[in-house]
Amino acid sequence: MHINDAVFLEDLCPKFRLRQWRKSIHRFTGKSCIYCGKPSESIDHVLPRSQGGLSTTENCVPACLSCNGDKSDENALYWYRRQKFYDPRRAMAIRAWLEGDLRLAIRLLQWANPNFRRSNKNYETDESEYKAA
Ligand SMILES: [Zn+2]
């Protein structure tokens, strides 16, 4: 068998790759909406596709259907600021995510949501968990 014969499943089936990518996005936040913390059921384009937003990890965040639908084509940060569930830590997390600093984004989300680290234990261990008494 020649090396050229090697076919990657991903190349063979772009849909498979898309699914894996979507899964990985949800995994970052422990399957919770980046805006409100409810279960994420969709991927939201922070800069909408209609405005040239790309389907890259930096531009795509896990969101629940309610946030995704409500935000529609608005600028995510402006929209988020007006929401009842607005949390400055989440706003910072969204900004970090857009800048491609997923590590920081996840830390900020953990800070905003104490239940988060329990559901996402495999991703990162949080030392503060042991300090809480
Ligand atoms: Zn939401």
Side-chain angles (χ1 to χ4, degrees):
M1 177 169 154
H2 292 284
I3 189 83
N4 292 342
D5 292 337
V7 179
F8 292 99
L9 183 58
E10 298 187 335
D11 295 328
L12 204 64
C13 179
K15 263 191 189 156
F16 176 78
R17 182 162 37 186
L18 187 67
R19 208 181 306 138
Q20 291 301 107
W21 172 73
R22 282 173 167 271
K23 252 193 206 163
S24 74
I25 296 232
H26 287 291
R27 211 179 295 132
F28 281 130
T29 64
K31 290 187 183 134
S32 71
C33 173
I34 199 166
Y35 301 114
C36 72
K38 286 183 190 147
S40 58
E41 299 139 324
S42 62
I43 301 267
D44 180 45
H45 283 73
V46 178
L47 179 67
R49 265 177 293 191
S50 60
Q51 292 170 33
L54 299 174
S55 294
T56 56
T57 302
E58 290 80 12
N59 192 42
C60 292
V61 294
C64 68
L65 287 176
S66 149
C67 287
N68 199 343
D70 192 51
K71 181 189 145 274
S72 186
D73 273 4
E74 250 194 284
N75 176 299
L77 289 166
Y78 288 133
W79 169 83
Y80 183 53
R81 205 171 269 276
R82 295 200 317 271
Q83 304 310 306
K84 272 195 216 123
F85 47 79
Y86 176 80
D87 183 322
R89 293 168 298 191
R90 284 186 179 277
M92 281 162 72
I94 296 165
R95 207 162 289 144
W97 187 295
L98 298 184
E99 283 164 9
D101 194 344
L102 292 186
R103 230 187 131 75
L104 176 63
I106 287 159
R107 283 207 164 272
L108 288 162
L109 289 172
Q110 284 175 332
W111 185 28
N113 178 10
N115 298 323
F116 176 76
R117 69 174 87 93
R118 245 170 278 149
S119 58
N120 206 26
K121 224 170 201 159
N122 295 332
Y123 188 74
E124 238 179 340
T125 47
D126 191 331
E127 50 289 331
S128 68
E129 196 174 348
Y130 302 102
K131 283 182 206 147

